[in-house]
Amino acid sequence: MVKNKWITLVFLILVVIFNSCKSKSEVNKTRRPNIVFIMTDDHAYQAISAYGHGLNNTPNIDRIAKEGAIFNRGYVTNSICAPSRAVMLTGKHSFVNGKVDNVSAFNWDQDNFAKSLQKSGYQTALVGKIHMDGLPQGFDYSNVLPGQGEYYSPEFIENGVKKIIPGYITTITTDIALNWLKNKREKDKPFLLLYHQKAPHRTWMPEEKYFTLFDDKTFDPPANFFDDYEGRPAAATQEMSIFNDMDLVYDLKMLDKEGDIKTKYRGMFQRKYDRMTDEQKAAWDAYYDPIIADFKAKNPQGKDLALWKYNRYMHDYLRTVQSVDDGVGQVLDYLKENGLEENTIVVYTSDQGFYLGEHGWFDKRFMYEESFRTPILVKYPKEIKAGTVIDELVQNLDFAPTFLDYAGVDIPTDIQGESLRKLVKGEASEWRDAIYYTFYEFPGEHKVKRHYGVRTDRYKLIHFYYDIDQWELFDLEKDPSEMKNVYNDPSYADVKNNMHEQLEKMRTKYGDSDELNQASLNRVLKGKISNH
Ligand code: SGN
Ligand code: CA
């Protein structure tokens, strides 16, 4: 009898110990941070008020910087949409993950950080633009746009099933994200939400409530708007000039009812317009028809036309940003109101930067600052001090290892980026002094030539190749707008040699080479990839 009592007592003690261990490990797991990874498409850092360019007001995006950290030197590795997304998912350069341009296929079977988080117990969701074919892997829930997506009455693919949703894309994407947070989230698991907007991508079609925003504002173009590209032949042959390449109808909305304005892409814009409901069309026409009439009456030419186009572009571009900012506010509010703020990492970034008239351009692709750089803002109240400013060189390559680090998941040794966790806490003892860049989509839209290069704190070396063999060197301290190529300037001979050494170091470190470039070219030339 006494013996039995003892056995029962020991048994009970063991049960208590076992249960307390179990609940401790569960507590640890539930305490892992949630991650909301907000990405927009073509959002220039110049169009986020936290970066101080004075073009517009983005109070909600700014909140992330105010309550957390802003990165002043965030860069991409390849300034184009789908390749950037592949880099962010894998933490590997394009020549390693295989997604070198918008046209080539992405291999979803390779590792990505969402897969690792999912395996480790996170609930994962992907909402909005992804721009890569195939069912996304690593997500318990996906509701994505096919390809580029449409501003009005967009089609979405929910877990593989297509449907058209009436309304405006930015608000629909936000609603889907909020609906997932409210109704699909399993409250006992940490979560990863990729909330990826199409806006402010071309063709910059605003939401009705913002049609008149900035009507009272005339924007002055950047100082190098009338760039003549002297000493930079690869910059001279692009097709992304606001003056020469923006289509009056497709880009600038001059779809006149009389049909007088005949442009190359009028039909394409007509199809976008036709997606609207009668009500939406009426509101659209009420705003744009008087602008069309005024444009036809004034018929600006030359410099006046260039400035008119620039302003028309800026007005619509910045309006689409405003709807993005609203969505960010709604998601931040949801986190706050539901007790999730403290333990959720929120990242805001774009798939790359964008030209808002610098060098006379729209679009991206070049390794010049405005499209090489991208906005990065991060908040995580538990670990990141409000108002942190980071000036070190970071890249979108760093997101995957950063998320894994925060989630306590081992970072695979073949990941090429570095975790930003220590850097943002002010605890990184050393950091990289150079970053590497590649661009491949040539022949292709906008005709930006193939190039690769290296950037250090002060200098940038770029090599354009394929049907050109052109080197460019910039002293970013003296020439931040990259107007003067000093590659052949004898006073920069030492800098040039050092930068060539840096470039070789980067190519060795990451495993890039002329042979790999040739292999990617051969695939294009063989027609395996139709690089339109
Ligand atoms: C589309 C745009 C281009 C843009 C590419 C890539 N043309 O093709 O202007 O450079 O996307 O953009 S459009 O007529 O379809 O608007 S990316 O952000 O997806 O890489
Ligand atoms: Ca983009």
Side-chain angles (χ1 to χ4, degrees):
M1 193 62 197
V2 173
K3 199 178 161 199
N4 270 352
K5 257 192 183 169
W6 275 110
I7 289 173
T8 313
L9 189 65
V10 168
F11 176 72
L12 282 175
I13 290 171
L14 284 175
V15 166
V16 168
I17 292 173
F18 173 75
N19 276 339
S20 86
C21 287
K22 191 174 150 220
S23 64
K24 239 189 214 155
S25 78
E26 267 172 13
V27 165
N28 282 343
K29 271 204 164 169
T30 53
R31 278 198 190 142
R32 293 198 292 164
N34 308 307
I35 300 168
V36 177
F37 184 24
I38 310 173
M39 184 157 61
T40 45
D41 200 310
D42 294 357
H43 194 173
Y45 57 84
Q46 307 92 298
I48 291 180
S49 39
Y51 280 104
H53 290 257
L55 290 173
N56 59 341
N57 224 339
T58 50
N60 294 301
I61 299 171
D62 293 6
R63 254 161 82 185
I64 302 174
K66 224 182 268 165
E67 294 169 17
I70 187 162
F71 289 75
N72 285 327
R73 287 172 168 195
Y75 290 86
V76 296
T77 63
N78 182 356
S79 184
I80 186 129
C81 183
S84 262
R85 291 162 202 272
V87 167
M88 290 193 233
L89 282 166
T90 61
K92 293 170 191 162
H93 273 281
S94 306
F95 47 88
V96 176
N97 71 48
K99 181 72 182 153
V100 295
D101 55 27
N102 271 345
V103 193
S104 55
F106 177 63
N107 173 13
W108 276 107
D109 290 340
Q110 65 189 303
D111 273 349
N112 71 48
F113 78 84
K115 285 187 189 182
S116 305
L117 292 185
Q118 190 184 39
K119 253 186 249 152
S120 85
Y122 271 70
Q123 188 192 4
T124 58
L126 165 61
V127 173
K129 185 166 174 182
I130 183 65
H131 203 173
M132 300 199 283
D133 290 342
L135 192 67
Q137 290 183 28
F139 300 95
D140 300 312
Y141 174 80
S142 66
N143 201 346
V144 297
L145 301 167
Q148 296 283 7
E150 295 286 346
Y151 274 102
Y152 280 87
S153 314
E155 187 175 45
F156 276 82
I157 311 172
E158 185 176 21
N159 290 336
V161 182
K162 286 186 178 179
K163 66 172 172 218
I164 291 179
I165 306 184
Y168 183 70
I169 191 158
T170 309
T171 50
I172 296 170
T173 306
T174 303
D175 288 347
I176 294 172
L178 286 171
N179 184 40
W180 184 84
L181 283 169
K182 287 177 194 162
N183 303 318
K184 296 195 163 63
R185 187 166 54 89
E186 296 166 34
K187 310 246 157 49
D188 57 341
K189 277 187 176 177
F191 68 83
L192 164 74
L193 169 63
L194 269 56
Y195 162 46
H196 290 185
Q197 292 285 11
K198 170 202 171 73
H201 192 275
R202 196 180 183 190
T203 52
W204 317 294
M205 292 172 78
E207 184 180 5
E208 184 186 334
K209 72 172 174 183
Y210 288 127
F211 282 164
T212 58
L213 183 69
F214 305 113
D215 261 359
D216 54 351
K217 205 162 166 180
T218 304
F219 292 95
D220 289 329
N224 61 357
F225 183 67
F226 293 105
D227 191 353
D228 61 4
Y229 315 116
E230 198 199 320
R232 290 155 293 142
T237 51
Q238 42 59 44
E239 287 183 1
M240 46 190 257
S241 138
I242 292 174
F243 183 67
N244 296 315
D245 304 306
M246 269 196 168
D247 189 280
L248 277 174
V249 179
Y250 185 70
D251 293 306
L252 304 173
K253 327 290 180 337
M254 296 297 102
L255 183 71
D256 63 329
K257 299 282 176 300
E258 304 76 24
D260 298 335
I261 306 180
K262 296 183 181 59
T263 65
K264 195 167 169 192
Y265 299 114
R266 185 183 167 108
M268 264 165 72
F269 186 71
Q270 181 74 52
R271 284 195 288 281
K272 293 190 186 297
Y273 174 87
D274 288 344
R275 299 184 73 88
M276 291 192 244
T277 61
D278 288 348
E279 238 183 350
Q280 287 166 341
K281 280 181 189 159
W284 183 276
D285 293 345
Y287 178 70
Y288 285 98
D289 281 353
I291 301 178
I292 296 172
D294 185 60
F295 174 72
K296 285 170 95 169
K298 291 195 178 124
N299 191 19
Q301 300 294 322
K303 196 176 167 197
D304 289 343
L305 179 59
L307 295 177
W308 178 89
K309 282 186 159 189
Y310 170 70
N311 266 278
R312 196 71 284 296
Y313 163 45
M314 290 298 285
H315 281 164
D316 284 346
Y317 178 93
L318 295 174
R319 288 166 184 159
T320 63
V321 167
Q322 219 56 43
S323 304
V324 166
D325 189 66
D326 288 343
V328 171
Q330 281 176 267
V331 170
L332 293 180
D333 287 348
Y334 176 84
L335 296 175
K336 193 170 186 170
E337 287 155 15
N338 290 276
L340 293 164
E341 189 173 45
E342 198 57 23
N343 198 34
T344 301
I345 298 164
V346 179
V347 173
Y348 186 92
T349 192
S350 169
D351 61 343
Q352 11 68 205
F354 211 66
Y355 295 96
L356 299 182
E358 299 84 0
H359 304 282
W361 296 337
F362 65 103
D363 215 68
K364 52 263 178 175
R365 298 158 190 267
F366 280 107
M367 196 193 168
Y368 303 131
E369 286 296 282
E370 292 81 5
S371 54
F372 183 22
R373 246 184 91 180
T374 197
I376 301 180
L377 306 95
V378 184
K379 85 190 250 302
Y380 179 30
K382 237 186 199 171
E383 247 188 65
I384 303 176
K385 255 207 264 136
T388 301
V389 178
I390 305 286
D391 288 321
E392 277 81 1
L393 296 166
V394 308
Q395 275 186 300
N396 56 353
L397 204 56
D398 301 325
F399 287 123
T402 304
F403 295 145
L404 295 176
D405 192 358
Y406 278 121
V409 175
D410 287 343
I411 300 170
T413 50
D414 59 350
I415 277 200
Q416 300 186 305
E418 305 285 335
S419 168
L420 302 172
R421 189 174 182 178
K422 280 196 177 148
L423 181 71
V424 82
K425 261 175 118 178
E427 290 175 1
S429 50
E430 51 182 44
W431 193 249
R432 60 166 76 94
D433 57 5
I435 50 176
Y436 185 58
Y437 182 84
T438 59
F439 177 79
Y440 304 88
E441 199 170 288
F442 185 89
E445 201 179 2
H446 299 299
K447 298 211 168 26
V448 175
K449 297 198 186 289
R450 288 172 174 247
H451 57 292
Y452 58 89
V454 63
R455 187 206 199 280
T456 60
D457 181 45
R458 177 163 175 183
Y459 301 104
K460 188 185 288 181
L461 178 68
I462 314 178
H463 184 213
F464 292 93
Y465 64 99
Y466 177 53
D467 62 344
I468 187 172
D469 181 10
Q470 170 72 18
W471 288 89
E472 294 184 0
L473 177 66
F474 297 99
D475 181 340
L476 300 165
E477 201 174 282
K478 289 197 178 146
D479 175 28
S481 307
E482 297 158 301
M483 299 292 284
K484 196 163 186 266
N485 174 13
V486 293
Y487 189 78
N488 293 318
D489 181 336
S491 65
Y492 281 90
D494 287 347
V495 173
K496 178 166 122 180
N497 288 338
N498 288 339
M499 289 301 284
H500 271 288
E501 271 173 31
Q502 277 282 10
L503 183 64
E504 282 323 304
K505 261 202 327 223
M506 288 284 107
R507 298 189 99 195
T508 308
K509 175 178 172 184
Y510 292 122
D512 197 16
S513 62
D514 289 345
E515 290 70 39
L516 271 184
N517 286 342
Q518 193 54 48
S520 120
L521 250 174
N522 288 344
R523 283 198 298 276
V524 175
L525 298 175
K526 268 194 208 142
K528 279 192 187 150
I529 300 168
S530 84
N531 222 347
H532 61 102

